Amino acid sequence: MNPRLLVIAGALKDSTIPLHNSETTIGRDPGNLLIISDPSLSRKHCVLIRDDDGYSIRDLESRNGTFVNGVANPVSRLHHGDQVSSGDSVLVFLTKEELEEPAASRVEFEEGTTHATAQLRPQDVLYLQPDRVLSELPSTSRLGRNLNALLKISRVVHSIRDLDELQTQILNLIFEVAPAERGAVLLDGRGRERFASIFARHRLPHATQPVRVSRTIARQVLEDGVAILGADVQHSGGLSEVDSIIKSQIRSLLCVPLTVFQKVIGCIYVDTTNPGIHFDTDHLELVAAIAGICAVALENARRLQWLEQENLRLNTEINLEHNMVGESARMKEVYQFLSRVAPIDSTVLIHGESGTGKELAARAIHRNSPRSAKPFVPINCAAIPEGLLESELFGHERGAFTGAVAQKKGRLEMANGGVVFLDEIGELAPALQVKLLRVLQEREVERLGGTRPIPVDIRLIAASNRDLEEAVHSGTFRRDLYFRLNVVTVVMPPLRERREDIPMLAQYFVSKSSAKCKLKPKQISPEAMACLVHYDWSGNVRELENAMERALVLGSSDVILPEDLPESVLEKDLPPGVVPAKYHSAVKDLKKNLILNALEQAHGNYTEAARSLGLHANYLHRLIRNFELRGAVRPFPSARTGTSRGSSGRR
């Protein structure tokens, strides 16, 4: 066996790639074994896996999917001659030694005069006109009627692009040649249910009850690829034992496979409950012939429908203007959410830890909304003192309080027609929560010292790093305001949950900082990148941005090395394969020993240990967490509450 991939379309067209490894990753990232510079491919697109039974291909949650013989599945077993489509690239999986095909002959054109004995237009071709074919045969000829039906269906199916319309025409034509009461087209899919598309019809247009299809029969046809005829179900040995058929009182049925490139993509099922009607082998052959004609058209229509939907989704994502960086699955979900909520005026609640980009998400919603030309007014509820926040939000009239020497519009009023972004809304005082609730209900504000309400047209986007539902239960946040805010919600993922985005973010922040500080951009060494990816980033994207600016400014070489990173990153145990510098290793060991000795002398009391080291207790806790020393010394019970020296256990 000589396993290999022959590229017949795309960036590597006409090249052959031998498969020697147990796993061959494919994508546009330089870390793949097979690198294809194709923007329609994901960085890590798919992987070929060799096992004892041969080869299989697994999609790595790529953006555009991986298709084997035109069908997208998470995992597919590969056979000789299978076509793998990824983006614009098409690869043929080969294991056998192919015989060399004879070269195509050349065509030479000669000039001359045309002396045609007959001329025929396509619309006049006899065999493309079913009614004329039927007129040439005896009126009682069943073969003539069948040929007429096949010609008609072959002419119709290839002129229809819409999948539902195509399936409707197929069943209508089957009803013309077979005495079926019901019919269904089942297209194979993923998961336990097996069917990605189910389309059914009754012969009578006024029938409303569902078309019941025996899953047992359909599965058997899909698995075996063989048509099934039940001429007299009630008296046949095998079919009379199928409960679903007996309960539906089916008297006769047909189920034929839809096959494309030797792969069963679905089946056509028809039946009848009329005891006087029995399908025969002629019906079976005719419906099987119809299935053979329609299979490719159905698969093309299904794939065209998927491509149109995917194209719409990608266009929506591409057209979404935002300043966020990341291509992970979590961020793609965020982008899709933003593209869906931006055009509407619903209130949006954004959850997420500090530094995850909640304001960037809010600005993206504003930028892609019909209000984009109007103001975007951000307000940090935690940064403005409670005494000033009410005036900032609602404004005041002259003389409303001491120092109010002039009338002032509030930010809610200034945002009229635009978007108000209330960051850290969980910190809003209870009295202001009541006033904000009135704004959301009545869409009007009243200045401090004012006597008349002022109508405002605003869209509210709120954000919080607190669990507002828990705050409602604890009584610190109003339940009715929470329900007003919680219309559509998105959670911004922390950086530790999308580590695959860290390399892209880190390089982006290096470029951004180099432009800001007017310094030459630097590459990040593999060792430093491994440290960045391994670190948990409690401050999320904001902490990473600060770390990369520090490394760029303080680094002394042409590349960013591990020693250029903050100590908190180096304090974390390094990932496998990264050898720390002797200096940093010695400093790390010294810090560990100092902390352990201080904890032992303080009998496990963290407050006493921090005082003896001259550190703040919170900083000591961070060091203990980074060095993973939590269980190294067992603290006394009093140590957890930070008690005084007298309760630390000293004698």
Side-chain angles (χ1 to χ4, degrees), residues 468-580:
L468 292 185
E469 192 169 353
E470 184 178 329
V472 169
H473 292 312
S474 64
T476 59
F477 200 82
R478 292 183 63 91
R479 182 181 299 273
D480 47 4
L481 177 57
Y482 173 69
F483 290 139
R484 279 284 179 179
L485 296 173
N486 193 32
V487 180
V488 287
T489 308
V490 64
V491 177
M492 298 299 294
L495 197 51
R496 62 182 174 276
E497 292 182 6
R498 54 181 188 109
R499 295 182 188 271
E500 59 267 43
D501 287 335
I502 291 178
M504 185 188 304
L505 280 163
Q507 201 61 60
Y508 169 77
F509 288 136
V510 169
S511 301
K512 180 180 176 182
S513 299
S514 65
K516 170 186 170 184
C517 303
K518 295 182 173 57
L519 295 172
K520 181 182 177 182
K522 296 181 180 180
Q523 292 296 318
I524 304 172
S525 69
E527 296 79 11
M529 187 65 78
C531 294
L532 295 173
V533 173
H534 192 62
Y535 185 58
D536 283 341
W537 300 106
S538 58
N540 293 296
V541 178
R542 189 178 295 122
E543 183 185 4
L544 175 61
E545 181 176 9
N546 295 337
M548 299 322 297
E549 182 174 344
R550 175 188 184 278
L552 179 69
V553 173
L554 299 181
S556 55
S557 62
D558 293 335
V559 296
I560 294 177
L561 302 172
E563 51 261 36
D564 300 325
L565 302 177
E567 287 189 12
S568 57
V569 178
L570 299 178
E571 286 165 0
K572 181 80 172 175
D573 285 343
L574 296 179
V578 178
V579 180

Side-chain angles (χ1 to χ4, degrees), residues 106-164:
R106 292 188 305 162
V107 175
E108 294 183 354
F109 293 95
E110 295 181 353
E111 302 296 335
T113 305
T114 302
H115 298 285
T117 56
Q119 293 183 342
L120 184 67
R121 294 176 300 174
Q123 58 267 34
D124 296 330
V125 175
L126 171 65
Y127 297 106
L128 294 180
Q129 301 179 58
D131 294 333
R132 286 183 59 192
V133 172
L134 188 60
S135 66
E136 298 291 330
L137 296 169
S139 58
T140 58
S141 171
R142 186 172 183 177
L143 176 62
R145 291 195 302 272
N146 291 349
L147 287 175
N148 175 67
L150 294 177
L151 283 170
K152 186 175 182 180
I153 201 166
S154 64
R155 186 184 61 181
V156 169
V157 296
H158 295 293
S159 63
I160 300 174
R161 297 176 59 186
D162 182 74
L163 182 59
D164 287 346

Side-chain angles (χ1 to χ4, degrees), residues 107-287:
V107 175
E108 294 183 354
F109 293 95
E110 295 181 353
E111 302 296 335
T113 305
T114 302
H115 298 285
T117 56
Q119 293 183 342
L120 184 67
R121 294 176 300 174
Q123 58 267 34
D124 296 330
V125 175
L126 171 65
Y127 297 106
L128 294 180
Q129 301 179 58
D131 294 333
R132 286 183 59 192
V133 172
L134 188 60
S135 66
E136 298 291 330
L137 296 169
S139 58
T140 58
S141 171
R142 186 172 183 177
L143 176 62
R145 291 195 302 272
N146 291 349
L147 287 175
N148 175 67
L150 294 177
L151 283 170
K152 186 175 182 180
I153 201 166
S154 64
R155 186 184 61 181
V156 169
V157 296
H158 295 293
S159 63
I160 300 174
R161 297 176 59 186
D162 182 74
L163 182 59
D164 287 346
E165 184 184 351
L166 176 60
Q167 293 175 115
T168 300
Q169 290 296 329
I170 290 172
L171 292 179
N172 285 343
L173 290 169
I174 289 176
F175 290 152
E176 289 183 12
V177 296
E181 294 180 6
R182 290 166 298 277
V185 180
L186 313 175
L187 298 180
D188 195 11
R190 303 179 182 179
R192 296 178 182 175
E193 296 303 315
R194 294 278 310 201
F195 304 114
S197 173
I198 299 175
F199 186 90
R201 283 203 63 197
H202 288 267
R203 175 187 288 271
L204 299 177
H206 60 270
T208 57
Q209 64 270 29
V211 175
R212 300 187 180 277
V213 177
S214 169
R215 193 181 299 275
T216 303
I217 299 296
R219 280 179 175 168
Q220 184 177 343
V221 172
L222 287 176
E223 292 171 2
D224 299 340
V226 177
I228 291 178
L229 166 64
D232 188 358
V233 172
Q234 302 293 328
H235 299 92
S236 63
L239 297 180
S240 61
E241 298 175 0
V242 180
D243 292 338
S244 59
I245 295 178
I246 300 303
K247 289 179 181 178
S248 300
Q249 298 182 340
I250 304 301
R251 297 307 179 103
S252 193
L253 65 83
L254 278 175
C255 191
V256 299
L258 293 160
T259 306
V260 177
F261 300 123
Q262 288 75 51
K263 179 178 177 62
V264 179
I265 65 161
C267 61
I268 296 177
Y269 175 95
V270 294
D271 67 22
T272 180
T273 58
N274 190 333
I277 295 177
H278 298 285
F279 297 142
D280 55 27
T281 55
D282 191 74
H283 293 125
L284 177 66
E285 290 189 6
L286 180 59
V287 176

